[in-house]
Amino acid sequence: MSFLAYAAKIAAGAARTGLTLRLEGGASALVDALAAELDVRLGAKVVGIEEAGGPRLRLGDAESIPAARVILAVPLTVQRDIRFEPPPPPHRRLALRQARYGEVVKAALAEGDGDRELPELTADGLLYRPDPRLALLVLFAGAGAARRARKRQSLAAVDWTAEPFSRGSYLIFGPGDLTTWGRRLAEPHERVHFAGSEASDLPSYAEGAVRAGERAADEVLAAG
């Protein structure tokens, strides 16, 4: 990550010590509550967004869904597989080519030494206790530690790099990325609006995704 990108995240409110809020039931509980009154289609993969005659989503099973506006909130790694008609502007095409996401493995471990002082940063990753009521530890391993964790078959782990709808942890801006395309990821394309943490001033945080979602919703409402 470039120093400029790190400084921009801190200026936007990123916590230097990491996570500051946990949700009862996990992040999925929030998603389930928000989706309760919506028409959510699981397993419906969007492969194309066409603008001619009004936005239209093309699904992997050849189904076509018309829309007044589209809010796209998936990582750039997944956007690479979506066909845009007309093609996206140059800065987004550059982002789709250059964007890099972190390698992260998260594993749950049965608690061993109850007197261990946590959280603890080790060579194998960050070890912490997610809930004081449970005899459970979590290992959060990134970069080289994540690659080593993949080889440990004894771990009950989730590898975000292998997840088909994320293909990595969070967007990492290298030198020059923020100033060339990183600050423009929130710009609409025709009647397609972009959300997700990447399209905010606080990328890689759930708070950034919330900010981007609110901004994209405001754009759609203003467009009428």
Side-chain angles (χ1 to χ4, degrees), residues 57-68:
L57 304 180
R58 296 288 180 182
L59 303 186
D61 60 1
E63 183 181 359
S64 174
I65 302 176

Side-chain angles (χ1 to χ4, degrees), residues 17 31-32 42 66 77 106 109-110 134 144 146 151 159 173 186:
T17 55
V31 175
D32 291 341
L42 299 177
T77 48
K106 195 173 184 179
L109 309 167
L134 301 177
K151 299 177 182 179
D159 183 355
F173 291 114

Side-chain angles (χ1 to χ4, degrees), residues 52-109:
R56 184 171 291 275
L57 304 180
R58 296 288 180 182
L59 303 186
D61 60 1
E63 183 181 359
S64 174
I65 302 176
R69 295 269 167 178
V70 174
I71 295 179
L72 190 61
V74 297
L76 293 167
T77 48
V78 179
Q79 288 184 38
R80 289 170 179 156
D81 293 342
I82 298 176
R83 184 184 68 258
F84 292 87
E85 292 292 342
H91 72 269
R92 183 162 292 275
R93 295 202 298 270
L94 183 62
L96 293 174
R97 289 198 302 270
Q98 295 184 349
R100 297 177 298 115
Y101 283 66
E103 296 182 69
V104 166
V105 169
K106 195 173 184 179
L109 309 167

Side-chain angles (χ1 to χ4, degrees), residues 15 37 77 85 88 91 103 139 145 155 195 202 211 213:
E37 298 182 10
T77 48
E85 292 292 342
H91 72 269
E103 296 182 69
L139 176 69
L155 290 179
L202 197 54
R211 295 181 189 182

Side-chain angles (χ1 to χ4, degrees), residues 10 34 61 81 96 113 124 145 193 222:
I10 295 298
L34 292 172
D61 60 1
D81 293 342
L96 293 174
D113 184 1
D124 292 323
H193 304 262

